[in-house]
Amino acid sequence: MDFLCVNCTSTAPSPTKHLSSRAHAVPSHRLNAPLQAPTSFKYRLRIRRGKRPLQFRVSNVASSAIEKRRSLGSGSESRLEPSNKPSAAMEQLDFERGVCVPFRKYTPENVRNKVLESRGAIVSLISRGVEIVWSLGLYWSALTYDCFVGRDEEVVPFRARQLRNLLCDLGPSFIKAGQVLANRPDIIREDYMNELCILQDDVPSFPNQVAFNIIEEELGRPLEAVFSKISSRTIAAASLGQVYRATLRDSGEEVAIKVQRPEIEPIIYRDLFLFRTLASFLNGISLQKLGCNAELIVDEFGEKLLEELDYTLEARNIEDFIVNFKGDPTVKIPRVYKQLCGPRVLVMEWIDGIRCTNPQAVKDAGIDVNGFLTVGVSAALRQLLEFGLFHGDPHPGNIFAMQDGRIAYVDFGNVAVLSQQNKQILIDAVVHAVNEDYVEMANDFTRLGFLAPGTDVSPIVPALESIWQNSVGKGLSDFNFRSVTGKFNQLVYNYPIRIPERFSLVIRSLLTQEGICFTLQPDFKFLEVAYPYVAKRLLTDPNPALRERLIQVLFKDGVFQWKRLENLIVLAKENVTKLSSNPAFQAKDIQGSRDLQVSRKLDLTDTIKDGARLFIFDEGIRRKLILALTEDSKLHIQELVDVYRLVEDQIDVPSVAVEVARDFPTVVRDLMLSWSESVLADR
C-alpha cells in the first residue's frame, strides 16, 4: 500500500499494519432503562445540534433517567413536543427491547413520506421495483425449477453463490440484507448463510476522488488543510462506506477515515419502502413460520440501517465504549476526533496492532496467546452481561492484538444494546442451564422475544434438553458454540422461533470470537474462560438481581450446594489470576491505581456484607443455612473451613472490617425496624 501526500503527488511506503474490511451498522444512542408499554408516553426532542430531530419513546418509570443522561453536546438546547403514534411493529420492538430509544430515524411513515415526496421519486420507485421483481423473480423461478426436476439439493452451492452475486448487483440495501440473513437461521438455511457471510468482507470500493470530495464537503476544508498525507488506496471497503489511513497535519497522529458511499440515502429509503410493501404480503407466512409479522423483521432491519447512515452515532458509540472500559488496562478503544466527524465521515485513532488471523505474528511478538484469549473472552462477556452495549461484528479485521497483551477493537458501527432486563434473563438462562431446569430455560426464550407470548413451550423443552446435555455431556473441554448453534439452527428452523436482531448479533459475536480463539489456539476451550467470568460476576457483583441468582445456584431443591460454592470460588479466582497476569497491568501509567489493585484479587467485601444481611434479616435463608450447617445430624465445620481456605488469600480483613463498621448503624436501624414490625404484626 502507498501513501499519497495530499499537497503533492509523491508517494511514501506504508507501514505494515493496516485495517481490514469493516461492516457498518450504527445503533441509536441508548438509555439502559426499563420500558413498560402500558404506561408509556412519547415526545420528540429537538436538539439544536444538526438538523435531525431526536425522538424519545419513554416509559413513566424511565422518564427520570433521561434527566440523568449526559448532554449530547455543549450548549445544546431542547424542547419537547408531541409526536405521531408509531406503527404497531415499532411499538412491539420497543416493548421487546425494554430500552429507551432517544434517536429514531426510522419509522414506516418517514420512509413512505421520503419516497413519495415527488413525481420523479415515484417514477424511480416503480423502475426500481420492476428491477427487483424481475431479478428476484428469475432467481425464484430457477429455485422452483430445481425443486420440480428434483435437483434442488445438489445445486445448493451454485444457487447460494448466485444469490450472493445477485444481492451485490442489486446494491447496498441488498448487501446489508444479505449480511443480516447470514445471521438468521430462523429465515434461511445454513448452507446459504455460510455463503452470505462472504458479503461481510468482500465488497467493491468506489473511486478515491469521490471519497476525497465527500471528506472535504463534510470538513468544510481542503484535504491538505487537515491531513499531511492520506493512503492512495482504500484500507477496507464495506456495503455503506470505505476506510483510508491518514496523518493529521497539526499533530502528526495516524488516523483512520471512514467515508460513506455517495448518494446512498435515497437508495436506502426507496429499497426499505419496497421491502416493507413486500413484507405486508408475507405477514401470513411469517406468522405461521416465525410467530411474528414480516413487517416487524423489516422494521428491525430498517431501523438499524438508517441509523447506520449517520456516522455521528458511531462516534457516540465509541465514546460509550471508552467510558465502559475506562480503568481496564487490558482493552484498547480508539479515540474519536469529534471535530472531524460528520454524518458521512468518521475520523478515529489508528490502531497499530496484529491481526488475529495471524497466529504466528502474535507469537513472534511475544504475546501470551492463552492470556490474550482470556482477555478477549472476558471483554466480550463484560459487554454482553455487564454493559449491555456490545460490539456486534468482532470479525478478525475488527480485533487486534497489541504488543503489550491488550485487545483492541475497531469499527463500532454494528453495535447493539441489551436492556437491564435482557441481561438478567440471559444470566437466568445460564443459571437454569447449571440447574438443568429446561422448562424455565424455554420460558427464558419467551421472555427474550424468541417466542410469541402465550406460545406452548412443552414441545421445545425436550429439544433444548437434548441440545444442552449433548453439548456439555463430555465436559467443558469438549464444548463449543458452533456445534450448539448448529443444533439450535435446526430447532429454530422447525419451530415458530424468531431471533430478534439484537440476539442474532449476540450469536454471531460469540461464534466469531470463538472462531478467532480456535485460529490462535486450536485446542482453546471457550467455556473454560466464560464460566470463570460468570462465576466472578455472581460472587462479586453487588446487583441485587445477581445476588438472587447466586442464591438460586447455591440452593438446589432447598439444599445448600457446598461443592458448587467451592467450584464458583475456584473458577472466579482463576479468572482474576489470568486477567491480572496480563502484561498490560504492568504499564507505568496504571501502577498505583486503587481500582486496578483491587481487580488483582477476588473482591468479596460486598458479597460478605450482603450475605451477613441476608442471614440476619431473611428468615428463610437463615433457616436454609442453619440446615446446611447441620445436615445429616452433624456440623459441617469442615465445609466451612474448606471455603475459608479458598478465600483467605483474597480477603483484605482490614477493608472488610472498615466496611462492616460503616454499615453497622444501618444494620442496627434495619434490625430494630424489622423487630418493631414483627411485634406490631403479632398484635
Side-chain angles (χ1 to χ4, degrees):
M1 182 186 71
D2 293 330
F3 268 93
L4 177 66
C5 296
V6 298
N7 51 357
C8 65
T9 57
S10 62
T11 60
S14 73
T16 56
K17 307 296 186 293
H18 59 276
L19 293 181
S20 73
S21 58
R22 303 161 181 254
H24 309 289
V26 184
S28 61
H29 207 42
R30 75 289 308 159
L31 282 172
N32 202 18
L35 186 79
Q36 298 180 356
T39 59
S40 64
F41 57 93
K42 190 163 51 144
Y43 295 98
R44 178 174 296 154
L45 175 65
R46 295 192 183 277
I47 302 291
R48 293 183 187 173
R49 178 191 175 198
K51 301 177 181 178
R52 295 177 175 83
L54 301 183
Q55 178 173 303
F56 280 82
R57 186 176 174 347
V58 191
S59 71
N60 289 338
V61 176
S63 58
S64 61
I66 295 175
E67 304 302 326
K68 300 178 182 179
R69 193 66 173 95
R70 64 179 174 79
S71 171
L72 297 181
S74 58
S76 61
E77 301 174 20
S78 64
R79 61 185 179 86
L80 293 173
E81 61 182 41
S83 172
N84 297 326
K85 184 178 180 180
S87 68
M90 301 302 294
E91 290 274 8
Q92 183 177 342
L93 286 177
D94 281 341
F95 180 72
E96 282 183 5
R97 290 168 177 162
V99 297
C100 299
V101 183
F103 179 89
R104 172 157 287 145
K105 192 174 181 180
Y106 173 89
T107 64
E109 294 78 14
N110 283 348
V111 171
R112 183 170 58 250
N113 293 338
K114 280 269 190 180
V115 170
L116 303 178
E117 61 186 1
S118 68
R119 289 183 180 179
I122 296 174
V123 172
S124 174
L125 179 68
I126 295 173
S127 174
R128 177 64 168 171
V130 170
E131 178 190 5
I132 293 171
V133 170
W134 176 259
S135 300
L136 295 182
L138 286 177
Y139 181 75
W140 185 264
S141 300
L143 292 179
T144 304
Y145 176 76
D146 292 338
C147 187
F148 179 74
V149 299
R151 64 173 191 177
D152 49 317
E153 289 297 326
E154 61 188 72
V155 298
V156 162
F158 170 74
R159 293 302 182 200
R161 286 194 302 272
Q162 192 178 28
L163 176 61
R164 173 172 58 84
N165 293 330
L166 174 61
L167 295 178
C168 283
D169 293 339
L170 287 174
S173 303
F174 284 83
I175 294 174
K176 291 302 298 182
Q179 292 173 351
V180 171
L181 288 174
N183 307 300
R184 298 300 296 262
D186 52 334
I187 299 175
I188 192 169
R189 49 188 286 173
E190 188 172 4
D191 34 24
Y192 279 81
M193 288 170 52
N194 294 335
E195 182 66 29
L196 293 179
C197 283
I198 298 174
L199 291 173
Q200 295 168 356
D201 294 319
D202 188 11
V203 180
S205 61
F206 58 93
N208 283 347
Q209 193 54 53
V210 175
F212 295 161
N213 290 340
I214 292 174
I215 296 173
E216 290 183 339
E217 289 173 12
E218 286 293 308
L219 299 181
R221 288 178 283 173
L223 277 180
E224 59 269 19
V226 182
F227 308 104
S228 58
K229 58 183 179 180
I230 189 168
S231 57
S232 58
R233 289 182 295 170
T234 57
I235 305 301
S239 56
L240 300 186
Q242 58 195 37
V243 179
Y244 295 88
R245 182 176 181 176
T247 303
L248 293 179
R249 179 170 295 280
D250 291 342
S251 63
E253 295 171 294
E254 298 289 310
V255 296
I257 310 173
K258 188 174 177 180
V259 190
Q260 191 175 108
R261 290 183 180 272
E263 305 299 329
I264 197 173
E265 189 169 292
I267 298 172
I268 298 293
Y269 273 101
R270 184 181 59 194
D271 288 350
L272 285 177
F273 178 82
L274 293 170
F275 288 167
R276 205 172 195 279
T277 302
L278 175 62
S280 66
F281 293 102
L282 300 177
N283 279 335
I285 298 174
S286 180
L287 280 169
Q288 181 183 1
K289 298 292 186 181
L290 304 176
C292 70
N293 288 333
E295 290 174 325
L296 183 141
I297 296 173
V298 173
D299 286 342
E300 267 188 320
F301 170 69
E303 186 175 36
K304 295 287 288 181
L305 185 53
L306 287 191
E307 290 167 358
E308 189 175 340
L309 294 178
D310 190 347
Y311 286 175
T312 58
L313 293 178
E314 183 173 349
R316 260 183 262 169
N317 292 336
I318 296 173
E319 290 182 326
D320 283 346
F321 269 84
I322 290 173
V323 170
N324 286 343
F325 283 107
K326 183 180 180 181
D328 187 336
T330 65
V331 179
K332 170 64 177 177
I333 307 297
R335 170 191 171 194
V336 62
Y337 296 81
K338 291 180 63 175
Q339 71 278 13
L340 300 177
C341 296
R344 296 183 297 166
V345 171
L346 177 68
V347 179
M348 71 183 88
E349 178 185 357
W350 179 265
I351 296 296
D352 196 10
I354 303 169
R355 286 176 62 102
C356 293
T357 50
N358 192 346
Q360 190 58 48
V362 173
K363 293 175 183 176
D364 291 345
I367 297 172
D368 174 23
V369 174
N370 191 58
F372 172 74
L373 294 179
T374 299
V375 164
V377 172
S378 297
L381 292 173
R382 287 193 74 192
Q383 294 171 47
L384 181 62
L385 299 176
E386 186 176 340
F387 307 141
L389 174 68
F390 65 93
H391 197 298
D393 189 25
H395 66 71
N398 287 342
I399 298 181
F400 295 90
M402 308 290 283
Q403 294 281 349
D404 58 4
R406 288 181 295 172
I407 185 171
Y409 291 91
V410 299
D411 192 354
F412 295 84
N414 210 343
V415 172
V417 183
L418 292 182
S419 68
Q420 184 69 23
Q421 182 183 29
N422 283 167
K423 290 186 293 181
Q424 291 175 3
I425 296 172
L426 285 175
I427 295 175
D428 277 344
V430 174
V431 172
H432 294 146
V434 171
N435 290 339
E436 298 182 351
D437 190 344
Y438 300 105
V439 174
E440 281 304 315
M441 189 187 293
N443 288 329
D444 292 334
F445 277 87
T446 302
R447 296 163 64 200
L448 290 171
F450 285 74
L451 294 165
T455 300
D456 180 15
V457 299
S458 56
I460 300 173
V461 172
L464 284 175
E465 183 175 357
S466 174
I467 289 173
W468 188 255
Q469 287 186 344
N470 289 340
S471 299
V472 300
K474 298 179 182 179
L476 296 184
S477 60
D478 295 314
F479 178 94
N480 69 78
F481 275 109
R482 188 158 298 280
S483 64
V484 173
T485 303
K487 297 171 185 175
F488 183 70
N489 289 351
Q490 298 173 13
L491 177 67
V492 301
Y493 201 74
N494 295 324
Y495 291 93
I497 298 175
R498 158 187 160 254
I499 301 180
E501 171 72 13
R502 59 197 180 281
F503 290 115
S504 72
L505 291 178
V506 170
I507 294 170
R508 182 176 73 176
S509 177
L510 292 175
L511 280 176
T512 304
Q513 292 184 75
E514 185 184 57
I516 292 173
C517 292
F518 288 154
T519 299
L520 292 175
Q521 189 170 307
D523 61 345
F524 183 77
K525 312 304 178 188
F526 193 92
L527 276 193
E528 288 185 356
V529 177
Y531 262 24
Y533 168 81
V534 173
K536 185 178 75 171
R537 282 291 312 280
L538 286 172
L539 286 173
T540 62
D541 197 307
N543 187 321
L546 285 178
R547 287 283 184 260
E548 181 181 340
R549 283 148 184 83
L550 175 61
I551 292 171
Q552 292 176 27
V553 170
L554 295 179
F555 287 93
K556 185 176 182 180
D557 300 326
V559 179
F560 190 82
Q561 305 294 304
W562 289 102
K563 194 64 179 175
R564 191 170 284 177
L565 175 59
E566 291 179 20
N567 289 340
L568 283 175
I569 294 172
V570 170
L571 289 170
K573 287 174 65 176
E574 178 185 332
N575 178 266
V576 172
T577 300
K578 284 186 176 180
L579 287 178
S580 61
S581 64
N582 189 285
F585 271 87
Q586 311 303 322
K588 293 180 180 180
D589 58 338
I590 65 167
Q591 287 181 351
S593 168
R594 179 182 180 277
D595 292 339
L596 294 176
Q597 288 173 354
V598 168
S599 69
R600 295 174 188 272
K601 287 189 175 183
L602 184 65
D603 187 7
L604 296 172
T605 303
D606 288 329
T607 310
I608 294 170
K609 286 168 51 182
D610 290 349
R613 271 181 164 276
L614 277 174
F615 186 82
I616 294 171
F617 294 108
D618 192 313
E619 184 179 350
I621 293 294
R622 185 165 61 247
R623 183 182 295 111
K624 287 180 180 179
L625 287 174
I626 292 174
L627 287 174
L629 289 169
T630 58
E631 191 179 3
D632 299 328
S633 302
K634 66 176 183 179
L635 286 174
H636 288 256
I637 301 299
Q638 186 58 46
E639 284 84 348
L640 273 177
V641 172
D642 292 341
V643 170
Y644 177 75
R645 284 176 178 170
L646 286 173
V647 300
E648 63 179 336
D649 61 330
Q650 305 291 313
I651 298 176
D652 185 351
V653 176
S655 296
V656 173
V658 169
E659 292 294 329
V660 169
R662 286 177 181 170
D663 208 35
F664 184 73
T666 305
V667 172
V668 171
R669 183 197 63 190
D670 292 344
L671 188 62
M672 294 187 67
L673 286 173
S674 176
W675 174 76
S676 61
E677 286 175 3
S678 64
V679 170
L680 292 173
D682 290 339
R683 294 190 177 186

